[in-house]
Amino acid sequence: MSKKVIFLLVYCLVFATFFKIPAFASVKKAESSGYFYGQDGKKKTEQWVDRKYYVDKNGERLKNTWAKLIPAPGDTKTPNKSDRFWYFFNNKGERLENTEKYIGSAKYYLGAEGRMLTGWVGNRYYGGEDDGALKIGWFKINQSWRYFTEDRGNLWTPASVPSNVEGVTKIIGGKTYAFNASGEMLFGWVKINNQYASRSIENYAYFGSANDGSMKTNTWKYLTLSKNILNDDQYYWFYFKDNGQVQNSSTESEKKFVSIKGAEYLFDIYGRVCHGLQWIGDELYYLGSKDQCWVQKDVYIASLKEADGLGTFYFQADGRGLTGVRAGDDSLYYKGKLQKASAKEVFRVVSFVQNGVHQNYVVDSMGKIQRNATVSNGEGSVYQTNSSGTLLLVDRETPHEGVGFEPQRANP
């Protein structure tokens, strides 16, 4: 080697040593250590490197992990310079960009600068600021439940919602739910049909509470009616059939009993189950209290409230009010109501047709018929009865039909 070449090498070494210039002037990693160094020769820590890597306080690259960081130099600025975003670094320490990827058990979307996207991306939802996982199945957004398909995470929305209908139904997990055009799960009373009159209960189904939403079928619910159906704030029992429709009567004049699990019930046109005394045609039935509402059978009620007071009633084994003499206690009933004289009358003649035959019974103030008796009422009339308790003579004369009072009818 010539003296000139040797001189130049020694000169460069002395110059570099004197001015302390590192072997590599730009930011490079030392191949042996995997660290990054700056122009001053110091190890890079807690900062971005080449907009791709991030090194921790020890200078180690973040690998296979999430980190919430300020954007790298050169990335899109935000109004607030302290804003931090979530990034994911792979096994090489490189941030992921422009990809949708399963990380753990959830899928995430990393944008053009590696930021984890959140909120709505098209019709998919990636959770809130510190979440970012693609939502699959049910998820609540702004107080409304929505359903995202299991295969791709797309928000399910109806293809269309017919006019005059509030929602369209979809079966999910064996249960039926209703959704509006925006894909929000509906709850409570929901109009899902428009083939009946606009305010008809038959257009509606009940979809539970705000955190339930499943259509109710084959079950009882204690509810108020929707204001869109009827302005009534009272609570009633409703029964929902297997198709979700409310059990009801087509018209008020054509109420019919419905058998449900061995008991008989009566419903009005709004689906409200009836209770108390109810006339069906010319027969009286008792459907119990508001917490019962089914036909009461073979039952004696000593004091039952009517519109005009209290009455005593007896209902037979088929539920109809008794007309005639009750076996065992000689009390006289008409359409279920006890017939009796007032305290002033002492005795009264009650006249009605029974089994096609006109009958005149004499009863006292307790409602008991008088058998083989001669009694006088409060006005001095003398009644004579036979062994059946029916009237033979009035003041020793044969009575004419209808001589007595019409029977007292129940007044629900």
Side-chain angles (χ1 to χ4, degrees), residues 117-168:
L117 300 186
T118 59
W120 290 103
V121 178
N123 65 345
R124 295 179 175 186
Y125 191 74
Y126 288 86
E129 177 184 351
D130 291 320
D131 180 359
L134 175 66
K135 299 312 167 192
I136 300 293
W138 290 102
F139 194 73
K140 196 173 187 179
I141 304 172
N142 297 330
Q143 305 304 311
S144 293
W145 284 99
R146 300 167 190 258
Y147 181 76
F148 297 87
T149 59
E150 302 286 346
D151 55 348
R152 294 181 57 80
N154 293 324
L155 173 68
W156 188 87
T157 56
S160 64
V161 177
S163 61
N164 299 321
V165 166
E166 295 170 348
V168 171

Short mmCIF file of all heavy atoms in Angstrom, two decimals, residues 117-168:
data_model
loop_
_atom_site.label_atom_id
_atom_site.label_comp_id
_atom_site.label_asym_id
_atom_site.label_seq_id
_atom_site.Cartn_x
_atom_site.Cartn_y
_atom_site.Cartn_z
N LEU A 117 -59.32 1.79 13.96
CA LEU A 117 -60.55 2.52 13.69
C LEU A 117 -61.62 2.11 14.69
O LEU A 117 -61.67 0.96 15.14
CB LEU A 117 -61.02 2.26 12.26
CG LEU A 117 -60.06 2.66 11.15
CD1 LEU A 117 -60.71 2.48 9.78
CD2 LEU A 117 -59.58 4.09 11.32
N THR A 118 -62.48 3.06 15.03
CA THR A 118 -63.59 2.79 15.95
C THR A 118 -64.88 3.36 15.37
O THR A 118 -64.85 4.13 14.40
CB THR A 118 -63.33 3.43 17.32
OG1 THR A 118 -63.18 4.85 17.16
CG2 THR A 118 -62.08 2.86 17.97
N GLY A 119 -65.99 2.97 16.00
CA GLY A 119 -67.29 3.47 15.54
C GLY A 119 -67.71 2.81 14.23
O GLY A 119 -67.34 1.68 13.91
N TRP A 120 -68.51 3.54 13.48
CA TRP A 120 -69.06 3.00 12.23
C TRP A 120 -68.04 3.07 11.10
O TRP A 120 -67.42 4.09 10.86
CB TRP A 120 -70.30 3.79 11.82
CG TRP A 120 -71.48 3.57 12.70
CD1 TRP A 120 -71.96 4.39 13.67
CD2 TRP A 120 -72.34 2.43 12.69
NE1 TRP A 120 -73.05 3.85 14.28
CE2 TRP A 120 -73.32 2.64 13.70
CE3 TRP A 120 -72.39 1.25 11.95
CZ2 TRP A 120 -74.32 1.72 13.96
CZ3 TRP A 120 -73.38 0.33 12.21
CH2 TRP A 120 -74.34 0.57 13.21
N VAL A 121 -67.88 1.95 10.43
CA VAL A 121 -67.11 1.88 9.19
C VAL A 121 -68.04 1.19 8.18
O VAL A 121 -68.19 -0.02 8.21
CB VAL A 121 -65.80 1.10 9.35
CG1 VAL A 121 -65.07 1.01 8.01
CG2 VAL A 121 -64.92 1.74 10.40
N GLY A 122 -68.69 2.00 7.34
CA GLY A 122 -69.75 1.45 6.50
C GLY A 122 -70.90 1.00 7.38
O GLY A 122 -71.38 1.75 8.24
N ASN A 123 -71.34 -0.25 7.20
CA ASN A 123 -72.43 -0.76 8.04
C ASN A 123 -71.91 -1.73 9.10
O ASN A 123 -72.63 -2.57 9.61
CB ASN A 123 -73.51 -1.43 7.19
CG ASN A 123 -73.00 -2.68 6.48
OD1 ASN A 123 -71.79 -2.91 6.41
ND2 ASN A 123 -73.90 -3.47 5.95
N ARG A 124 -70.63 -1.59 9.40
CA ARG A 124 -70.03 -2.35 10.50
C ARG A 124 -69.72 -1.40 11.65
O ARG A 124 -69.53 -0.21 11.44
CB ARG A 124 -68.75 -3.04 10.04
CG ARG A 124 -68.96 -4.11 8.97
CD ARG A 124 -67.63 -4.69 8.58
NE ARG A 124 -67.79 -5.80 7.65
CZ ARG A 124 -66.78 -6.55 7.23
NH1 ARG A 124 -65.55 -6.30 7.66
NH2 ARG A 124 -66.99 -7.54 6.39
N TYR A 125 -69.62 -1.98 12.83
CA TYR A 125 -69.36 -1.14 14.00
C TYR A 125 -68.19 -1.72 14.78
O TYR A 125 -68.18 -2.91 15.13
CB TYR A 125 -70.59 -1.06 14.89
CG TYR A 125 -70.47 -0.01 15.97
CD1 TYR A 125 -70.58 1.34 15.67
CD2 TYR A 125 -70.23 -0.37 17.29
CE1 TYR A 125 -70.45 2.31 16.65
CE2 TYR A 125 -70.11 0.59 18.28
CZ TYR A 125 -70.22 1.93 17.95
OH TYR A 125 -70.09 2.89 18.93
N TYR A 126 -67.18 -0.84 15.04
CA TYR A 126 -65.94 -1.28 15.68
C TYR A 126 -65.80 -0.75 17.10
O TYR A 126 -64.69 -0.54 17.58
CB TYR A 126 -64.75 -0.85 14.83
CG TYR A 126 -64.60 -1.64 13.56
CD1 TYR A 126 -65.28 -1.26 12.41
CD2 TYR A 126 -63.80 -2.78 13.50
CE1 TYR A 126 -65.15 -1.98 11.23
CE2 TYR A 126 -63.66 -3.51 12.33
CZ TYR A 126 -64.34 -3.10 11.19
OH TYR A 126 -64.21 -3.83 10.04
N GLY A 127 -66.91 -0.55 17.77
CA GLY A 127 -66.86 -0.19 19.17
C GLY A 127 -66.41 1.23 19.44
O GLY A 127 -66.26 2.05 18.53
N GLY A 128 -66.18 1.52 20.72
CA GLY A 128 -65.82 2.87 21.13
C GLY A 128 -64.33 3.12 21.07
O GLY A 128 -63.54 2.31 20.56
N GLU A 129 -63.91 4.25 21.64
CA GLU A 129 -62.53 4.73 21.53
C GLU A 129 -61.50 3.71 21.99
O GLU A 129 -60.45 3.53 21.37
CB GLU A 129 -62.38 6.02 22.33
CG GLU A 129 -60.97 6.57 22.36
CD GLU A 129 -60.83 7.80 23.24
OE1 GLU A 129 -61.87 8.32 23.69
OE2 GLU A 129 -59.68 8.22 23.47
N ASP A 130 -61.75 3.03 23.09
CA ASP A 130 -60.79 2.07 23.63
C ASP A 130 -61.24 0.63 23.42
O ASP A 130 -60.82 -0.27 24.15
CB ASP A 130 -60.56 2.34 25.11
CG ASP A 130 -59.82 3.64 25.35
OD1 ASP A 130 -58.88 3.92 24.58
OD2 ASP A 130 -60.19 4.38 26.28
N ASP A 131 -62.07 0.43 22.43
CA ASP A 131 -62.57 -0.91 22.15
C ASP A 131 -62.05 -1.36 20.78
O ASP A 131 -61.04 -2.02 20.68
CB ASP A 131 -64.10 -0.89 22.19
CG ASP A 131 -64.71 -2.25 21.90
OD1 ASP A 131 -63.96 -3.20 21.63
OD2 ASP A 131 -65.95 -2.35 21.93
N GLY A 132 -62.72 -0.95 19.72
CA GLY A 132 -62.23 -1.21 18.38
C GLY A 132 -62.53 -2.57 17.81
O GLY A 132 -62.25 -2.83 16.64
N ALA A 133 -63.07 -3.48 18.61
CA ALA A 133 -63.37 -4.82 18.10
C ALA A 133 -64.63 -4.79 17.23
O ALA A 133 -65.63 -4.16 17.60
CB ALA A 133 -63.55 -5.79 19.26
N LEU A 134 -64.59 -5.46 16.09
CA LEU A 134 -65.75 -5.56 15.22
C LEU A 134 -66.87 -6.26 15.98
O LEU A 134 -66.68 -7.33 16.55
CB LEU A 134 -65.40 -6.35 13.96
CG LEU A 134 -66.56 -6.63 13.00
CD1 LEU A 134 -67.08 -5.33 12.38
CD2 LEU A 134 -66.12 -7.60 11.90
N LYS A 135 -68.05 -5.66 15.96
CA LYS A 135 -69.17 -6.21 16.71
C LYS A 135 -69.88 -7.30 15.91
O LYS A 135 -70.19 -7.12 14.73
CB LYS A 135 -70.15 -5.10 17.11
CG LYS A 135 -69.52 -4.04 17.99
CD LYS A 135 -68.75 -4.67 19.13
CE LYS A 135 -67.85 -3.69 19.85
NZ LYS A 135 -66.91 -4.35 20.76
N ILE A 136 -70.08 -8.39 16.58
CA ILE A 136 -70.79 -9.54 16.02
C ILE A 136 -71.95 -9.86 16.94
O ILE A 136 -71.80 -9.87 18.16
CB ILE A 136 -69.86 -10.77 15.91
CG1 ILE A 136 -68.66 -10.47 15.02
CG2 ILE A 136 -70.63 -11.97 15.39
CD1 ILE A 136 -68.99 -10.26 13.56
N GLY A 137 -73.13 -10.12 16.36
CA GLY A 137 -74.30 -10.42 17.19
C GLY A 137 -74.92 -9.15 17.74
O GLY A 137 -74.94 -8.10 17.08
N TRP A 138 -75.41 -9.22 18.98
CA TRP A 138 -76.12 -8.09 19.58
C TRP A 138 -75.13 -7.10 20.17
O TRP A 138 -74.16 -7.47 20.82
CB TRP A 138 -77.06 -8.57 20.68
CG TRP A 138 -78.25 -9.32 20.19
CD1 TRP A 138 -78.46 -10.66 20.20
CD2 TRP A 138 -79.42 -8.74 19.60
NE1 TRP A 138 -79.67 -10.96 19.65
CE2 TRP A 138 -80.29 -9.81 19.27
CE3 TRP A 138 -79.82 -7.44 19.30
CZ2 TRP A 138 -81.53 -9.61 18.68
CZ3 TRP A 138 -81.05 -7.25 18.71
CH2 TRP A 138 -81.90 -8.32 18.41
N PHE A 139 -75.40 -5.80 19.95
CA PHE A 139 -74.59 -4.75 20.57
C PHE A 139 -75.46 -3.51 20.73
O PHE A 139 -76.25 -3.17 19.86
CB PHE A 139 -73.36 -4.43 19.72
CG PHE A 139 -72.35 -3.61 20.46
CD1 PHE A 139 -71.57 -4.17 21.46
CD2 PHE A 139 -72.18 -2.26 20.16
CE1 PHE A 139 -70.63 -3.42 22.15
CE2 PHE A 139 -71.25 -1.49 20.85
CZ PHE A 139 -70.47 -2.08 21.85
N LYS A 140 -75.29 -2.83 21.88
CA LYS A 140 -76.10 -1.66 22.19
C LYS A 140 -75.33 -0.39 21.84
O LYS A 140 -74.23 -0.17 22.33
CB LYS A 140 -76.47 -1.66 23.68
CG LYS A 140 -77.60 -0.72 24.04
CD LYS A 140 -78.00 -0.93 25.50
CE LYS A 140 -79.25 -0.13 25.85
NZ LYS A 140 -79.66 -0.35 27.26
N ILE A 141 -75.93 0.44 20.98
CA ILE A 141 -75.31 1.69 20.54
C ILE A 141 -76.30 2.82 20.79
O ILE A 141 -77.43 2.79 20.30
CB ILE A 141 -74.94 1.65 19.05
CG1 ILE A 141 -74.03 0.45 18.76
CG2 ILE A 141 -74.28 2.95 18.62
CD1 ILE A 141 -73.78 0.22 17.30
N ASN A 142 -75.89 3.82 21.55
CA ASN A 142 -76.76 4.97 21.84
C ASN A 142 -78.14 4.52 22.35
O ASN A 142 -79.18 4.95 21.86
CB ASN A 142 -76.92 5.86 20.61
CG ASN A 142 -75.61 6.48 20.18
OD1 ASN A 142 -74.73 6.73 21.02
ND2 ASN A 142 -75.46 6.72 18.90
N GLN A 143 -78.12 3.64 23.31
CA GLN A 143 -79.33 3.16 24.00
C GLN A 143 -80.23 2.26 23.13
O GLN A 143 -81.32 1.91 23.55
CB GLN A 143 -80.17 4.34 24.53
CG GLN A 143 -79.41 5.29 25.44
CD GLN A 143 -78.78 4.57 26.62
OE1 GLN A 143 -79.44 3.80 27.31
NE2 GLN A 143 -77.50 4.83 26.88
N SER A 144 -79.77 1.90 21.95
CA SER A 144 -80.58 1.03 21.09
C SER A 144 -79.79 -0.23 20.76
O SER A 144 -78.61 -0.17 20.37
CB SER A 144 -80.94 1.74 19.78
OG SER A 144 -81.81 2.82 20.02
N TRP A 145 -80.46 -1.37 20.91
CA TRP A 145 -79.84 -2.64 20.54
C TRP A 145 -79.89 -2.83 19.03
O TRP A 145 -80.89 -2.54 18.39
CB TRP A 145 -80.54 -3.80 21.23
CG TRP A 145 -80.19 -3.93 22.68
CD1 TRP A 145 -80.93 -3.50 23.74
CD2 TRP A 145 -79.02 -4.53 23.23
NE1 TRP A 145 -80.31 -3.78 24.92
CE2 TRP A 145 -79.12 -4.43 24.64
CE3 TRP A 145 -77.90 -5.16 22.67
CZ2 TRP A 145 -78.14 -4.91 25.49
CZ3 TRP A 145 -76.92 -5.65 23.52
CH2 TRP A 145 -77.05 -5.53 24.91
N ARG A 146 -78.78 -3.35 18.48
CA ARG A 146 -78.71 -3.65 17.05
C ARG A 146 -78.12 -5.04 16.89
O ARG A 146 -77.42 -5.54 17.79
CB ARG A 146 -77.86 -2.62 16.31
CG ARG A 146 -78.41 -1.19 16.44
CD ARG A 146 -77.38 -0.17 15.96
NE ARG A 146 -77.78 1.19 16.29
CZ ARG A 146 -78.30 2.06 15.43
NH1 ARG A 146 -78.52 1.68 14.17
NH2 ARG A 146 -78.62 3.27 15.80
N TYR A 147 -78.37 -5.62 15.74
CA TYR A 147 -77.85 -6.97 15.50
C TYR A 147 -76.92 -6.95 14.30
O TYR A 147 -77.28 -6.47 13.21
CB TYR A 147 -79.00 -7.95 15.25
CG TYR A 147 -78.50 -9.36 15.03
CD1 TYR A 147 -78.06 -10.12 16.10
CD2 TYR A 147 -78.43 -9.91 13.76
CE1 TYR A 147 -77.57 -11.41 15.92
CE2 TYR A 147 -77.96 -11.20 13.57
CZ TYR A 147 -77.52 -11.94 14.64
OH TYR A 147 -77.03 -13.20 14.45
N PHE A 148 -75.70 -7.49 14.51
CA PHE A 148 -74.69 -7.57 13.46
C PHE A 148 -74.52 -9.04 13.07
O PHE A 148 -74.34 -9.90 13.94
CB PHE A 148 -73.37 -6.97 13.94
CG PHE A 148 -73.48 -5.50 14.27
CD1 PHE A 148 -73.88 -5.08 15.54
CD2 PHE A 148 -73.22 -4.54 13.31
CE1 PHE A 148 -73.99 -3.73 15.85
CE2 PHE A 148 -73.34 -3.18 13.61
CZ PHE A 148 -73.72 -2.79 14.87
N THR A 149 -74.55 -9.30 11.78
CA THR A 149 -74.55 -10.68 11.30
C THR A 149 -73.32 -11.44 11.75
O THR A 149 -72.22 -10.88 11.86
CB THR A 149 -74.65 -10.73 9.76
OG1 THR A 149 -73.53 -10.02 9.20
CG2 THR A 149 -75.94 -10.07 9.29
N GLU A 150 -73.51 -12.72 12.02
CA GLU A 150 -72.43 -13.55 12.54
C GLU A 150 -71.33 -13.78 11.51
O GLU A 150 -70.17 -14.00 11.87
CB GLU A 150 -73.00 -14.90 13.00
CG GLU A 150 -74.08 -14.81 14.06
CD GLU A 150 -73.52 -14.45 15.43
OE1 GLU A 150 -72.29 -14.53 15.60
OE2 GLU A 150 -74.31 -14.07 16.32
N ASP A 151 -71.66 -13.75 10.22
CA ASP A 151 -70.66 -14.08 9.20
C ASP A 151 -69.70 -12.93 8.89
O ASP A 151 -68.49 -13.12 8.82
CB ASP A 151 -71.34 -14.55 7.91
CG ASP A 151 -72.36 -13.54 7.39
OD1 ASP A 151 -72.70 -12.61 8.13
OD2 ASP A 151 -72.81 -13.70 6.23
N ARG A 152 -70.22 -11.71 8.76
CA ARG A 152 -69.37 -10.59 8.37
C ARG A 152 -69.46 -9.39 9.29
O ARG A 152 -68.71 -8.43 9.15
CB ARG A 152 -69.73 -10.15 6.94
CG ARG A 152 -69.41 -11.20 5.88
CD ARG A 152 -69.76 -10.69 4.49
NE ARG A 152 -69.07 -9.44 4.17
CZ ARG A 152 -67.81 -9.35 3.78
NH1 ARG A 152 -67.09 -10.45 3.65
NH2 ARG A 152 -67.26 -8.18 3.49
N GLY A 153 -70.38 -9.43 10.23
CA GLY A 153 -70.50 -8.29 11.14
C GLY A 153 -71.26 -7.12 10.57
O GLY A 153 -71.17 -6.00 11.08
N ASN A 154 -72.03 -7.35 9.50
CA ASN A 154 -72.82 -6.27 8.91
C ASN A 154 -74.07 -6.02 9.74
O ASN A 154 -74.72 -6.96 10.21
CB ASN A 154 -73.23 -6.63 7.48
CG ASN A 154 -72.05 -6.70 6.54
OD1 ASN A 154 -71.11 -5.91 6.68
ND2 ASN A 154 -72.06 -7.64 5.61
N LEU A 155 -74.43 -4.77 9.91
CA LEU A 155 -75.66 -4.43 10.60
C LEU A 155 -76.85 -4.96 9.82
O LEU A 155 -76.96 -4.75 8.60
CB LEU A 155 -75.80 -2.91 10.73
CG LEU A 155 -77.12 -2.39 11.29
CD1 LEU A 155 -77.25 -2.78 12.76
CD2 LEU A 155 -77.22 -0.88 11.12
N TRP A 156 -77.74 -5.69 10.53
CA TRP A 156 -78.93 -6.19 9.85
C TRP A 156 -80.00 -5.11 9.82
O TRP A 156 -80.33 -4.54 10.86
CB TRP A 156 -79.50 -7.44 10.52
CG TRP A 156 -80.59 -8.05 9.69
CD1 TRP A 156 -80.44 -8.96 8.70
CD2 TRP A 156 -82.00 -7.76 9.77
NE1 TRP A 156 -81.66 -9.26 8.13
CE2 TRP A 156 -82.63 -8.54 8.76
CE3 TRP A 156 -82.77 -6.93 10.55
CZ2 TRP A 156 -84.00 -8.51 8.55
CZ3 TRP A 156 -84.14 -6.88 10.34
CH2 TRP A 156 -84.74 -7.67 9.35
N THR A 157 -80.51 -4.83 8.65
CA THR A 157 -81.62 -3.90 8.49
C THR A 157 -82.64 -4.53 7.55
O THR A 157 -82.27 -5.31 6.66
CB THR A 157 -81.17 -2.55 7.90
OG1 THR A 157 -80.50 -2.79 6.65
CG2 THR A 157 -80.23 -1.83 8.84
N PRO A 158 -83.93 -4.21 7.73
CA PRO A 158 -84.94 -4.75 6.82
C PRO A 158 -84.72 -4.25 5.41
O PRO A 158 -84.24 -3.12 5.19
CB PRO A 158 -86.26 -4.22 7.40
CG PRO A 158 -85.94 -3.77 8.79
CD PRO A 158 -84.51 -3.35 8.78
N ALA A 159 -85.06 -5.09 4.43
CA ALA A 159 -84.98 -4.65 3.04
C ALA A 159 -85.91 -3.47 2.81
O ALA A 159 -85.59 -2.54 2.06
CB ALA A 159 -85.34 -5.80 2.11
N SER A 160 -87.06 -3.48 3.48
CA SER A 160 -88.00 -2.37 3.43
C SER A 160 -88.96 -2.50 4.60
O SER A 160 -89.14 -3.59 5.15
CB SER A 160 -88.78 -2.35 2.11
OG SER A 160 -89.60 -3.51 2.01
N VAL A 161 -89.54 -1.39 5.00
CA VAL A 161 -90.55 -1.37 6.06
C VAL A 161 -91.84 -0.84 5.44
O VAL A 161 -91.89 0.32 5.02
CB VAL A 161 -90.13 -0.49 7.25
CG1 VAL A 161 -91.23 -0.45 8.30
CG2 VAL A 161 -88.83 -1.01 7.85
N PRO A 162 -92.88 -1.67 5.35
CA PRO A 162 -94.14 -1.23 4.72
C PRO A 162 -94.72 0.00 5.41
O PRO A 162 -94.46 0.26 6.59
CB PRO A 162 -95.07 -2.44 4.89
CG PRO A 162 -94.14 -3.60 5.07
CD PRO A 162 -92.95 -3.06 5.81
N SER A 163 -95.48 0.76 4.65
CA SER A 163 -96.13 1.93 5.23
C SER A 163 -97.11 1.51 6.31
O SER A 163 -97.67 0.41 6.28
CB SER A 163 -96.86 2.72 4.13
OG SER A 163 -97.86 1.90 3.53
N ASN A 164 -97.31 2.39 7.27
CA ASN A 164 -98.24 2.16 8.39
C ASN A 164 -97.82 0.99 9.27
O ASN A 164 -98.64 0.43 10.00
CB ASN A 164 -99.68 1.93 7.88
CG ASN A 164 -100.21 3.13 7.12
OD1 ASN A 164 -99.96 4.27 7.50
ND2 ASN A 164 -100.93 2.88 6.03
N VAL A 165 -96.55 0.61 9.19
CA VAL A 165 -96.00 -0.43 10.06
C VAL A 165 -94.77 0.14 10.74
O VAL A 165 -94.01 0.90 10.15
CB VAL A 165 -95.65 -1.69 9.24
CG1 VAL A 165 -94.78 -2.63 10.04
CG2 VAL A 165 -96.92 -2.41 8.81
N GLU A 166 -94.57 -0.22 12.01
CA GLU A 166 -93.45 0.33 12.77
C GLU A 166 -92.17 -0.48 12.62
O GLU A 166 -91.07 0.05 12.76
CB GLU A 166 -93.82 0.42 14.25
CG GLU A 166 -94.95 1.39 14.52
CD GLU A 166 -95.48 1.30 15.93
OE1 GLU A 166 -95.14 0.33 16.65
OE2 GLU A 166 -96.24 2.19 16.34
N GLY A 167 -92.32 -1.78 12.36
CA GLY A 167 -91.13 -2.61 12.29
C GLY A 167 -91.36 -3.89 11.52
O GLY A 167 -92.49 -4.29 11.26
N VAL A 168 -90.23 -4.54 11.18
CA VAL A 168 -90.23 -5.81 10.47
C VAL A 168 -89.56 -6.84 11.36
O VAL A 168 -88.58 -6.53 12.06
CB VAL A 168 -89.48 -5.68 9.13
CG1 VAL A 168 -89.29 -7.04 8.48
CG2 VAL A 168 -90.23 -4.75 8.20
#
